[in-house]
Amino acid sequence: MIKILQRVFLIAVMLICTISTIKASSVSGKLGKGEQSEVLNIEVVRGVVLDENGRGVSGVVVSDGFGVYRCGADGRFSFVPVERARFVFMSTPDGYEQVGSFFYRIDGKGIDGKGGIGNVDGADELVFKVVKSVAARSEFLHLGDTEARIHKDWVDVLKEYVVYNRPAFVLFNGDICYENGLRFHARELTSGNLGVRAVYTLGNHDLVDGAYGEELYEELFGPVWYSFNSGGVHFVNIPVLQGDRKPSYSADDVYAWLKKDLDAIPVGMPVILMDHHFIGYGDDFLLKGEKVSVNLLDYNLKAYLYAHYHINLLERSPRTGVTTIATMSPNKGGIDHTPSSFRLIKFDREGNLDSEIRYASLKGHIAATIYPANILGKQASAKDKLPANKKLSANENESANKKLSTNENASANSSYELIASVYDTRTDVAEVTARFNGADYHLQKVSEWTWRATLPGGGMAGGAVVTAKFGNGMVVKGVTRAPADIGEFTPRKEDAFRPAIKWVTSLGSHTFMTSPLLVGYLVVSATFDDNGKGGSAIHAMRKSDGSVVWRVPLLNSVKNNMALWEGTLLACDVVGNLYAIEALSGRVLWSKSLREKELHPVYTQGVTVHNGIVYAGHGHYLTALKVSNGEVLWKNTAWRGGVCTVASPVVEPESGVLLTAAYWTGRFAHNAVTGELLWEKRDDDTRIADNSPVFFKGRFFYASPGHIMEVDPLSGKELVKHAINYTINNNSRPVVTDKLFIVGTTDKGVAAFDRENGYKELWNFKTNPALIYTAPYTKDFQMTVESGAFLDRVDRSGESLRDGGERGVAPGSGVEGEVAPGSGVEYEEVIYFGANDGYLYSVNARNGVFRWRINLGAPVLGNIVVSEGVLYVSDFAGNVWAIHLRAVEPKGLKSDK
C-alpha cells in the first residue's frame, strides 16, 4: 500500500513538472514500450531529436496536441501526454528539414504512425530526425479545394513545377475531399512522391464517416493541428471547427494548444496561420472558443492562408496589417470563375510575402500575331533588332541595341507589330525572339503572358518564326501569319475582305470579365491583380491609336462590368469598394466601401446604372446610391447568403425592376427605386445563378445550367422554361431577338435557338477546349465561352451596317445598340464572341457557319463591343484589341483631344 502511495505521489510530481507549457527535460534510463502510468493508464513519452550527425538538437518543440514541451540541451524530451492524445509531433526547427515523419501515433492504433519507435543507445523511444537546410528555400506552393480522386494532367503539371523549382513545401489547404479524395492524395501527392514536404489542412469535406469525423484523415495524414518553422517564419496549421461530420475536438482544444504553441516561439517571430476556413477577420483575428480565446495580433501574425471559397483573393488589411490569402485549385474553375491555378508564395525572415499565381495547366503555350503598325505611325525599335543568325544570351543585350541602318529606318516607316502570348505553368519564360525577313528580333515582356516587338516593313510573306526559351531549358517555336483565319463563306469585297487589327494596347496586368466601355474619344478597361502588386486599375485609351490617357489605381480588383452615367464611370472591386470617376479625365469623384470588417462573399458581379442610380453589392450589402454624390438610397435587408456569382445585375427599364443573383442561392428581384424585394427564385433550376440576365421587350431572359428562362419582371412568373442539352453555369450574356436566343455554354461552345419555333435548336458552334478553366467545377477539355456575343449586320462586302452609337453597348439589353440595316441593302446577321480557347470568332447568326477567327492567344472572358465599324475586346492577358470590321478604315471617327 505504501509503495502504491509513493508511486502515485511520484507520478503526480511528474505531471506537475511536465504538463507545464514549456519544460526542458533531459532523459536518462530506458522506457519499455508497454510501460504506462498506473494513474492515467497512458504511456510516458520519451524521445529525442537528432541531426544528420546523430547529435541531439536542443530547444526543439514537441507536443501531444494539448501540451507543448521543449527538448533539453541534448535534444531529449519526456512528458506524460493527456489521455485524449493520439499523436506526438515535432515542430520542425528553423534552419532544418525533417527526415521522414514529423509525428508518431501513440493511441494504440499503430504506434508507428508514419515511422515507429526507434532504438537509440539501447532505449526504446521516439526518434525525430532532421538535417540542416543546405540552401534556404523561402517559397512554397498554395492550393486549395482540389476535390480530386482521379489522376489527371494537373497532377503531373504540379509535380513538374515542384521538380523544376523546388519550393520548401506544398500546402494543400483542405477539401481534398471525401474518402476517395483523401485516399487519392495520400497515395499520389505525398512528401515522398513530390520530393518536398506536403502539408495538408483539414477541410469541412475532409470530415467523413468514422468513429469521429477526422479519423480517416488522421489515419492517412496524421495530426490535424501542428506547427513547423521554415526560413525564419513560424507556420501553424489548424483544422476547421465544423464540417460534414462532427470532429472529436472543440474550438477550445485547438485554441488552447494554439496559444501554448505561439507562446513557445521567440518574441517577434513572424507567424503564418493555415486554416481551410477563414475566421476572426471581423474581430481583428481574435479567435473565440467557448472558454478559450487567442488574440493572434498579440503575436507577429503576418498572414492568414485559407481556401474554401474556390477563389483567388489577396488583401493586405490597412486595419490590422495582416495579409489574407485565398487560393484556387489547378484542376477546375472557381465559384467566382477564378481560373484554374495555384499560387507561389515567397517569404523572407521578416514575414514579408510575395505572391505569384500560376495558371493551370499550360505547357509551352505560344500564340503570335503580326499586323501592320503604320496606322500608329510607329517605327521598328533599334534595340529590338539582333544580328541575323545570332543566338541570344543573357550577355548579348548590347547586340540587341544595334542601330538600324538607313535602309532599315526607311523600311520601318511601314512597320509591323508582333504580339505573342507565351506561358507555361511549370516554368518561367526566359526569353522570346522572332525571325522576320532574315533578321532576328528580341521581344520585350510587357505583362505576365504578353511579349511584343515592332518590326520593320518590307513585306511579311511567310510571317515570322517566334522562338520561346523557358527556364527549364525547353524551346518552343510558333509561326505568325495574317491575323484572321477566313472561312469559305465569309462575304468579301473582291475576295479581299479581312478584319484588320487597328491597334493592341497591353495594360500590364490581367483583365477578367470587364468589357471595354466607350465614352467620347476614349476606350476604358480594367485590370485585376490577385497577387497584390498594384496591378488593379482602370485605364483609358484613345480610340484612334490605343495610347493610354489616364490610369486610376484601385484598392483591389475590378473583375466585371463597369457602367457610365452622364460622363461618370462607375466600378466596384471584389472587396466592395465602389468608385465614381470622371470618365474623360480619370479624376476620382467619390468612393465608398459598401461593407466593413468582412471580405466574403467577394463581389464579382459588376455594376449597373439606371436613372442616375448605381447598383452594386451582394446580399446584405446590395446597395443603391446616387451617381452624383454617392448618397446611399437603400440597402438590402430582405435576403443574404449564397456566395459570389458573375451574373451581372440589370434593371428592366419599363418595369423598373432590378434583377440580381447569388450562386447556390438563387435570383432576386427588387424595386429599383425603393429596394423592396418583389420575388425570389431558389429552386434547383435557378439557384446555380451564373448566367448574366438581359432584358428584351419587357421580359428578363437568362439561362440556368439546363434551361432557358423568360421571366416577367414584376411577378417573377416563368413565361418560358425550356430544357436544353447544354450546361450553362458560365457568364455569357445571351443575345435575344424576336427570332433568336444565342448563348455561350460551359461545355460545347455557342448554341442558338429559334424563339419563333418553341426554342428549337438551330445550331451549335464548337470551339477548341479551354486554355484555362473558369466556370465552376469545369474541367476535362470543356469548350467554355464566358464572353457575351455581339449581334451585327454586314453587307455582302463585309462592311458592318450596325450603328452601335458612341458607347457601343447598352448594358443589359439583349441586342446592344441600334441596328441600321440600310435601304434595300442585302445583308446577313453575324455574331462576334470570344472563347476560353483564346480565339475571337465571327459566325453567321442564322446558321452558325464559321466566318473568321483571330487567335488572340489568351482567353476572352468579357463581352464584345462594336462601335462605328470597330470591334473592341479585352483578353485575359490584359490586352485591349481594336479591330476594323470593314475592308478600309472607317471615316468620321471622333477626333482626339
Coordinates of all heavy atoms in Angstrom, one line a residue, residues 778-854:
T778 N -15.6 23.2 -63.7 CA -15.4 22.7 -65.1 C -14.0 22.2 -65.2 O -13.0 22.8 -64.7 CB -15.7 23.7 -66.2 OG1 -14.9 24.9 -65.9 CG2 -17.2 24.1 -66.2
K779 N -13.8 21.2 -66.0 CA -12.5 20.5 -66.2 C -12.6 19.6 -67.5 O -13.7 19.6 -68.1 CB -12.1 19.7 -65.0 CG -13.1 18.6 -64.6 CD -12.7 18.0 -63.3 CE -13.1 18.8 -62.1 NZ -12.8 18.0 -60.8
D780 N -11.6 19.0 -67.8 CA -11.6 17.9 -68.8 C -12.1 18.4 -70.2 O -13.0 18.0 -70.7 CB -12.6 16.8 -68.4 CG -12.1 16.1 -67.1 OD1 -10.9 16.2 -66.8 OD2 -12.9 15.5 -66.4
F781 N -11.3 19.4 -70.7 CA -11.4 19.8 -72.1 C -12.8 20.4 -72.5 O -13.3 20.2 -73.6 CB -11.2 18.6 -73.0 CG -9.9 17.8 -72.7 CD1 -10.0 16.5 -72.1 CD2 -8.7 18.3 -72.8 CE1 -8.9 15.8 -71.7 CE2 -7.5 17.6 -72.5 CZ -7.6 16.4 -71.9
Q782 N -13.4 21.1 -71.5 CA -14.6 21.8 -71.8 C -14.4 23.0 -72.8 O -13.4 23.7 -72.7 CB -15.2 22.4 -70.5 CG -15.5 21.3 -69.4 CD -16.6 20.4 -69.8 OE1 -17.8 20.9 -70.0 NE2 -16.3 19.2 -70.0
M783 N -15.4 23.2 -73.7 CA -15.3 24.2 -74.7 C -16.1 25.4 -74.2 O -17.2 25.7 -74.6 CB -15.8 23.7 -76.0 CG -14.9 22.6 -76.6 SD -15.6 21.8 -78.1 CE -16.8 20.7 -77.4
T784 N -15.6 26.1 -73.2 CA -16.3 27.1 -72.5 C -16.2 28.5 -73.2 O -15.2 28.9 -73.7 CB -15.7 27.3 -71.0 OG1 -15.8 26.1 -70.4 CG2 -16.5 28.4 -70.3
V785 N -17.4 29.2 -73.2 CA -17.5 30.5 -73.7 C -18.1 31.4 -72.6 O -19.3 31.3 -72.4 CB -18.3 30.6 -75.0 CG1 -18.5 32.0 -75.5 CG2 -17.7 29.8 -76.1
E786 N -17.3 32.2 -72.0 CA -17.8 33.1 -70.9 C -18.2 34.4 -71.6 O -19.0 35.2 -71.0 CB -16.7 33.4 -69.9 CG -16.2 32.2 -69.1 CD -17.0 32.0 -67.9 OE1 -18.2 32.5 -67.8 OE2 -16.6 31.3 -67.0
S787 N -17.6 34.7 -72.7 CA -17.9 36.0 -73.4 C -19.3 36.2 -73.8 O -19.9 35.2 -74.3 CB -16.9 36.1 -74.6 OG -17.3 37.2 -75.4
G788 N -19.8 37.4 -73.7 CA -21.1 37.7 -74.3 C -21.0 38.1 -75.7 O -20.1 39.0 -76.0
A789 N -21.8 37.6 -76.6 CA -21.7 37.9 -78.0 C -22.3 39.2 -78.4 O -23.1 39.8 -77.7 CB -22.3 36.8 -78.8
F790 N -21.9 39.7 -79.6 CA -22.4 40.9 -80.1 C -23.1 40.6 -81.5 O -22.4 39.9 -82.3 CB -21.4 42.0 -80.3 CG -21.9 43.3 -80.7 CD1 -22.1 44.3 -79.8 CD2 -22.2 43.6 -82.1 CE1 -22.6 45.6 -80.2 CE2 -22.7 44.9 -82.4 CZ -22.9 45.8 -81.5
L791 N -24.3 41.0 -81.7 CA -25.0 40.7 -83.0 C -24.8 41.9 -83.9 O -25.1 43.0 -83.6 CB -26.5 40.5 -82.7 CG -27.4 40.2 -84.0 CD1 -27.0 38.9 -84.6 CD2 -28.8 40.3 -83.6
D792 N -24.3 41.6 -85.1 CA -24.1 42.7 -86.1 C -24.8 42.3 -87.4 O -25.2 41.2 -87.6 CB -22.5 42.8 -86.3 CG -22.1 44.1 -87.0 OD1 -23.0 44.9 -87.2 OD2 -20.9 44.2 -87.3
R793 N -24.9 43.3 -88.3 CA -25.3 43.1 -89.6 C -24.3 43.6 -90.6 O -23.8 44.7 -90.4 CB -26.7 43.8 -89.9 CG -27.8 43.1 -89.2 CD -29.1 43.8 -89.3 NE -30.2 43.0 -88.7 CZ -31.4 43.5 -88.5 NH1 -31.7 44.7 -88.8 NH2 -32.4 42.7 -88.0
V794 N -23.9 42.8 -91.6 CA -22.9 43.2 -92.6 C -23.5 43.0 -94.0 O -24.3 42.1 -94.2 CB -21.6 42.3 -92.4 CG1 -21.0 42.5 -91.0 CG2 -21.9 40.8 -92.6
D795 N -23.0 43.9 -94.9 CA -23.5 43.7 -96.3 C -22.5 42.7 -97.0 O -21.6 42.2 -96.4 CB -23.5 45.1 -97.0 CG -22.1 45.7 -97.2 OD1 -21.1 45.0 -97.0 OD2 -22.1 46.9 -97.4
R796 N -22.8 42.5 -98.2 CA -22.1 41.4 -98.9 C -20.6 41.8 -99.2 O -19.8 40.9 -99.6 CB -22.8 41.1 -100.2 CG -24.1 40.4 -100.0 CD -23.9 39.1 -99.2 NE -25.2 38.5 -98.9 CZ -25.4 37.4 -98.2 NH1 -24.3 36.9 -97.6 NH2 -26.5 36.8 -98.0
S797 N -20.2 43.0 -98.9 CA -18.8 43.4 -99.0 C -18.1 43.1 -97.7 O -16.9 43.2 -97.6 CB -18.6 44.8 -99.4 OG -19.0 45.7 -98.2
G798 N -18.9 42.7 -96.7 CA -18.3 42.5 -95.3 C -18.3 43.7 -94.5 O -17.9 43.7 -93.3
E799 N -18.9 44.8 -94.9 CA -18.9 46.1 -94.2 C -20.1 46.0 -93.1 O -21.2 45.6 -93.4 CB -19.1 47.3 -95.1 CG -19.1 48.6 -94.4 CD -19.0 49.7 -95.4 OE1 -18.7 49.5 -96.5 OE2 -19.3 50.9 -94.9
S800 N -19.7 46.5 -91.9 CA -20.7 46.5 -90.9 C -21.8 47.6 -91.1 O -21.4 48.7 -91.5 CB -20.0 46.8 -89.5 OG -21.0 47.0 -88.5
L801 N -23.0 47.2 -91.0 CA -24.1 48.1 -91.1 C -24.7 48.5 -89.8 O -25.7 49.3 -89.7 CB -25.2 47.5 -92.0 CG -24.8 47.1 -93.4 CD1 -26.0 46.4 -94.1 CD2 -24.4 48.4 -94.2
R802 N -24.1 48.1 -88.7 CA -24.6 48.3 -87.4 C -24.1 49.6 -86.9 O -22.9 49.9 -86.9 CB -24.1 47.2 -86.5 CG -24.7 47.2 -85.1 CD -26.1 46.6 -85.1 NE -26.6 46.5 -83.7 CZ -26.3 45.6 -82.8 NH1 -25.6 44.5 -83.2 NH2 -26.8 45.6 -81.6
D803 N -24.9 50.5 -86.4 CA -24.5 51.7 -85.7 C -24.6 51.5 -84.2 O -25.7 51.7 -83.6 CB -25.4 52.9 -86.2 CG -24.9 54.2 -85.5 OD1 -23.9 54.2 -84.9 OD2 -25.7 55.2 -85.6
G804 N -23.5 51.1 -83.6 CA -23.6 50.9 -82.2 C -23.6 52.1 -81.3 O -23.8 52.1 -80.1
G805 N -23.5 53.3 -81.9 CA -23.5 54.5 -81.2 C -22.2 54.8 -80.5 O -21.2 54.0 -80.6
E806 N -22.1 55.9 -79.8 CA -20.8 56.3 -79.1 C -20.4 55.2 -78.1 O -19.3 54.9 -78.0 CB -21.0 57.7 -78.5 CG -19.7 58.1 -77.8 CD -19.9 59.5 -77.1 OE1 -20.0 60.5 -77.8 OE2 -20.0 59.5 -75.9
R807 N -21.4 54.8 -77.3 CA -21.0 53.8 -76.3 C -20.8 52.4 -76.8 O -20.1 51.6 -76.3 CB -22.1 53.8 -75.1 CG -22.1 55.1 -74.3 CD -23.3 55.2 -73.5 NE -23.4 54.2 -72.5 CZ -24.5 53.9 -71.8 NH1 -25.6 54.6 -72.1 NH2 -24.5 52.9 -70.9
G808 N -21.6 52.1 -77.9 CA -21.4 50.8 -78.5 C -22.1 49.7 -77.7 O -22.1 48.6 -78.1
V809 N -22.6 50.0 -76.6 CA -23.2 49.0 -75.7 C -24.3 49.6 -74.9 O -24.2 50.7 -74.3 CB -22.1 48.3 -74.8 CG1 -21.5 49.3 -73.9 CG2 -22.7 47.2 -74.0
A810 N -25.4 48.9 -74.8 CA -26.5 49.3 -73.9 C -26.6 48.2 -72.8 O -27.3 47.2 -73.1 CB -27.8 49.5 -74.7
P811 N -26.0 48.3 -71.7 CA -25.8 47.2 -70.8 C -27.2 46.6 -70.4 O -28.1 47.3 -70.0 CB -25.2 47.8 -69.6 CG -24.4 49.0 -70.1 CD -25.3 49.5 -71.2
G812 N -27.3 45.3 -70.5 CA -28.5 44.6 -70.1 C -29.4 44.3 -71.2 O -30.3 43.4 -71.0
S813 N -29.4 45.0 -72.3 CA -30.4 44.7 -73.4 C -29.9 43.5 -74.2 O -28.7 43.3 -74.3 CB -30.5 45.9 -74.3 OG -29.3 46.3 -74.9
G814 N -30.8 42.7 -74.6 CA -30.5 41.5 -75.3 C -29.8 41.8 -76.6 O -28.9 41.1 -77.1
V815 N -30.2 42.9 -77.3 CA -29.5 43.3 -78.5 C -28.9 44.7 -78.3 O -29.6 45.6 -78.0 CB -30.5 43.3 -79.7 CG1 -29.7 43.8 -81.0 CG2 -31.1 42.0 -80.0
E816 N -27.6 44.8 -78.4 CA -26.9 46.0 -78.0 C -26.9 47.1 -79.1 O -26.7 46.7 -80.3 CB -25.5 45.7 -77.6 CG -25.4 44.6 -76.6 CD -26.1 44.9 -75.3 OE1 -26.5 46.0 -75.1 OE2 -26.2 44.0 -74.5
G817 N -27.3 48.3 -78.8 CA -27.2 49.4 -79.8 C -28.4 49.4 -80.8 O -29.3 48.6 -80.6
E818 N -28.3 50.2 -81.7 CA -29.3 50.3 -82.7 C -28.9 49.7 -84.0 O -27.7 49.8 -84.4 CB -29.7 51.8 -83.0 CG -30.3 52.5 -81.8 CD -31.6 51.9 -81.3 OE1 -32.3 51.4 -82.2 OE2 -31.8 51.9 -80.1
V819 N -29.8 49.0 -84.7 CA -29.4 48.3 -86.0 C -29.9 49.2 -87.1 O -31.0 49.7 -87.2 CB -30.1 47.0 -86.1 CG1 -29.9 46.3 -87.4 CG2 -29.7 46.1 -85.0
A820 N -28.9 49.5 -88.0 CA -29.2 50.3 -89.2 C -29.0 49.5 -90.5 O -27.9 49.5 -91.0 CB -28.4 51.6 -89.2
P821 N -29.9 48.6 -90.9 CA -29.6 47.7 -92.0 C -29.5 48.4 -93.3 O -29.0 47.8 -94.3 CB -30.9 46.8 -91.9 CG -32.0 47.6 -91.3 CD -31.3 48.5 -90.3
G822 N -30.0 49.6 -93.5 CA -29.9 50.3 -94.8 C -31.1 50.0 -95.6 O -31.9 49.1 -95.3
S823 N -31.2 50.7 -96.7 CA -32.4 50.6 -97.5 C -32.1 49.8 -98.7 O -31.3 50.2 -99.6 CB -32.9 52.0 -97.9 OG -33.9 52.0 -98.8
G824 N -32.8 48.7 -98.8 CA -32.6 47.8 -100.0 C -31.3 47.1 -100.1 O -30.9 46.7 -101.2
V825 N -30.5 47.1 -99.0 CA -29.2 46.5 -99.0 C -29.3 45.1 -98.5 O -29.8 44.8 -97.4 CB -28.2 47.3 -98.1 CG1 -26.8 46.6 -98.1 CG2 -28.1 48.7 -98.7
E826 N -28.7 44.1 -99.3 CA -28.7 42.7 -98.8 C -27.7 42.6 -97.7 O -26.5 43.0 -97.9 CB -28.4 41.8 -100.0 CG -28.6 40.4 -99.7 CD -28.4 39.5 -100.9 OE1 -28.0 40.0 -101.9 OE2 -28.6 38.2 -100.7
Y827 N -28.0 41.9 -96.7 CA -27.1 41.8 -95.6 C -27.3 40.4 -94.9 O -28.3 39.7 -95.1 CB -27.3 42.9 -94.5 CG -28.6 42.9 -93.8 CD1 -28.8 42.1 -92.6 CD2 -29.7 43.6 -94.3 CE1 -30.0 42.1 -92.0 CE2 -30.9 43.5 -93.7 CZ -31.1 42.8 -92.5 OH -32.3 42.8 -91.9
E828 N -26.4 40.1 -94.0 CA -26.5 38.9 -93.2 C -26.3 39.3 -91.7 O -25.6 40.2 -91.5 CB -25.6 37.8 -93.6 CG -24.1 38.1 -93.4 CD -23.2 36.9 -93.6 OE1 -23.7 35.7 -93.5 OE2 -22.0 37.1 -93.9
E829 N -26.9 38.5 -90.8 CA -26.7 38.7 -89.4 C -25.5 37.9 -89.0 O -25.5 36.7 -89.3 CB -27.9 38.4 -88.6 CG -29.1 39.4 -88.8 CD -30.3 39.1 -87.9 OE1 -30.6 37.9 -87.8 OE2 -30.8 40.0 -87.3
V830 N -24.6 38.5 -88.2 CA -23.4 37.7 -87.7 C -23.3 38.0 -86.3 O -23.8 39.0 -85.7 CB -22.2 38.1 -88.5 CG1 -22.3 37.9 -90.0 CG2 -21.8 39.6 -88.2
I831 N -22.6 37.2 -85.6 CA -22.2 37.4 -84.2 C -20.7 37.4 -84.0 O -20.0 36.6 -84.8 CB -22.9 36.5 -83.2 CG1 -22.5 35.0 -83.4 CG2 -24.4 36.7 -83.2 CD1 -22.9 34.1 -82.3
Y832 N -20.2 38.1 -83.1 CA -18.8 38.1 -82.7 C -18.8 37.7 -81.2 O -19.5 38.2 -80.4 CB -18.2 39.5 -82.8 CG -18.4 40.2 -84.1 CD1 -19.3 41.3 -84.2 CD2 -17.9 39.7 -85.3 CE1 -19.5 41.9 -85.4 CE2 -18.1 40.3 -86.5 CZ -18.9 41.4 -86.5 OH -19.2 42.1 -87.7
F833 N -17.9 36.8 -80.9 CA -17.7 36.3 -79.5 C -16.3 35.9 -79.3 O -15.6 35.4 -80.2 CB -18.7 35.2 -79.1 CG -18.5 34.0 -79.9 CD1 -17.7 32.9 -79.4 CD2 -19.2 33.7 -81.1 CE1 -17.6 31.8 -80.1 CE2 -19.0 32.6 -81.8 CZ -18.2 31.6 -81.3
G834 N -15.8 35.9 -78.1 CA -14.5 35.4 -77.7 C -14.8 34.1 -76.9 O -15.9 33.8 -76.4
A835 N -13.7 33.3 -76.8 CA -13.8 32.0 -76.1 C -12.6 31.7 -75.2 O -11.6 32.4 -75.3 CB -14.0 30.9 -77.1
N836 N -12.8 30.8 -74.3 CA -11.7 30.4 -73.4 C -10.5 29.8 -74.1 O -9.5 29.5 -73.5 CB -12.2 29.5 -72.3 CG -13.0 30.2 -71.2 OD1 -13.8 31.1 -71.5 ND2 -12.9 29.7 -70.0
D837 N -10.7 29.4 -75.4 CA -9.6 28.9 -76.1 C -8.6 29.9 -76.7 O -7.6 29.6 -77.3 CB -10.1 28.0 -77.3 CG -10.9 28.8 -78.4 OD1 -11.0 30.0 -78.2 OD2 -11.4 28.1 -79.3
G838 N -8.9 31.2 -76.4 CA -8.0 32.3 -76.9 C -8.4 32.9 -78.2 O -7.7 33.8 -78.7
Y839 N -9.5 32.5 -78.9 CA -9.8 33.0 -80.2 C -11.0 34.0 -80.1 O -11.9 33.8 -79.2 CB -10.2 31.8 -81.1 CG -9.1 31.1 -81.7 CD1 -8.5 30.0 -81.1 CD2 -8.6 31.4 -83.0 CE1 -7.5 29.3 -81.6 CE2 -7.5 30.7 -83.5 CZ -7.0 29.7 -82.8 OH -5.9 29.0 -83.4
L840 N -11.0 34.9 -81.0 CA -12.1 35.8 -81.3 C -12.8 35.3 -82.5 O -12.1 35.1 -83.6 CB -11.7 37.2 -81.5 CG -12.7 38.2 -81.9 CD1 -13.7 38.5 -80.9 CD2 -12.1 39.5 -82.4
Y841 N -14.1 35.0 -82.5 CA -14.8 34.4 -83.6 C -15.9 35.3 -84.2 O -16.4 36.1 -83.5 CB -15.5 33.1 -83.1 CG -14.6 32.0 -82.7 CD1 -14.2 31.8 -81.4 CD2 -14.2 31.0 -83.6 CE1 -13.4 30.7 -81.0 CE2 -13.4 29.9 -83.3 CZ -13.0 29.8 -81.9 OH -12.2 28.7 -81.6
S842 N -16.1 35.0 -85.5 CA -17.3 35.5 -86.1 C -18.0 34.4 -86.8 O -17.4 33.7 -87.6 CB -17.0 36.6 -87.1 OG -18.1 37.1 -87.8
V843 N -19.3 34.2 -86.6 CA -20.1 33.2 -87.3 C -21.4 33.8 -87.7 O -21.9 34.8 -87.2 CB -20.4 32.0 -86.4 CG1 -19.1 31.4 -85.9 CG2 -21.3 32.3 -85.2
N844 N -22.0 33.2 -88.7 CA -23.4 33.6 -89.2 C -24.4 33.3 -88.1 O -24.5 32.2 -87.5 CB -23.7 32.8 -90.4 CG -25.0 33.2 -91.0 OD1 -26.1 33.1 -90.5 ND2 -24.9 33.8 -92.3
A845 N -25.2 34.3 -87.7 CA -26.1 34.2 -86.6 C -27.3 33.3 -86.9 O -27.9 32.7 -86.0 CB -26.6 35.6 -86.2
R846 N -27.6 33.1 -88.2 CA -28.8 32.3 -88.6 C -28.4 30.8 -88.7 O -29.3 30.0 -88.4 CB -29.3 32.8 -89.9 CG -29.9 34.2 -89.8 CD -31.2 34.2 -89.1 NE -31.8 35.6 -89.0 CZ -33.1 35.8 -88.9 NH1 -34.0 34.9 -89.1 NH2 -33.5 37.1 -88.8
N847 N -27.2 30.5 -89.1 CA -26.9 29.1 -89.3 C -25.6 28.6 -88.6 O -25.3 27.4 -88.7 CB -26.8 28.8 -90.8 CG -25.8 29.6 -91.5 OD1 -24.8 30.1 -90.9 ND2 -26.1 29.9 -92.8
G848 N -24.9 29.5 -88.0 CA -23.7 29.1 -87.2 C -22.5 28.8 -88.1 O -21.5 28.3 -87.6
V849 N -22.5 29.2 -89.4 CA -21.4 28.9 -90.3 C -20.3 29.8 -89.9 O -20.4 31.0 -89.7 CB -21.8 29.0 -91.7 CG1 -20.6 29.0 -92.7 CG2 -22.8 28.0 -92.1
F850 N -19.1 29.2 -89.8 CA -17.9 30.0 -89.5 C -17.5 31.0 -90.5 O -17.6 30.8 -91.7 CB -16.7 29.0 -89.4 CG -15.3 29.6 -89.3 CD1 -14.9 30.2 -88.1 CD2 -14.5 29.6 -90.3 CE1 -13.7 30.8 -88.0 CE2 -13.2 30.1 -90.2 CZ -12.8 30.7 -89.1
R851 N -17.2 32.3 -90.1 CA -16.8 33.4 -91.0 C -15.4 33.6 -90.8 O -14.6 33.6 -91.8 CB -17.7 34.6 -90.6 CG -19.1 34.5 -90.8 CD -19.9 35.7 -90.5 NE -19.6 36.8 -91.5 CZ -19.0 37.9 -91.3 NH1 -18.5 38.1 -90.1 NH2 -18.8 38.8 -92.3
W852 N -14.9 34.0 -89.6 CA -13.5 34.2 -89.4 C -13.1 34.1 -87.9 O -14.0 34.1 -87.1 CB -13.0 35.5 -90.0 CG -13.7 36.8 -89.5 CD1 -14.7 37.4 -90.2 CD2 -13.6 37.5 -88.3 NE1 -15.2 38.5 -89.4 CE2 -14.5 38.6 -88.3 CE3 -12.8 37.3 -87.1 CZ2 -14.6 39.5 -87.2 CZ3 -12.9 38.2 -86.1 CH2 -13.8 39.2 -86.1
R853 N -11.9 34.0 -87.6 CA -11.4 33.9 -86.3 C -10.0 34.6 -86.2 O -9.3 34.5 -87.2 CB -11.4 32.5 -85.7 CG -10.3 31.6 -86.3 CD -10.3 30.2 -85.7 NE -9.1 29.5 -86.2 CZ -8.8 28.3 -85.7 NH1 -9.6 27.7 -84.8 NH2 -7.8 27.6 -86.2
I854 N -9.7 35.1 -85.1 CA -8.3 35.7 -84.8 C -7.8 35.1 -83.5 O -8.5 35.1 -82.5 CB -8.3 37.2 -84.7 CG1 -8.9 37.8 -86.0 CG2 -7.0 37.7 -84.3 CD1 -9.0 39.3 -85.9

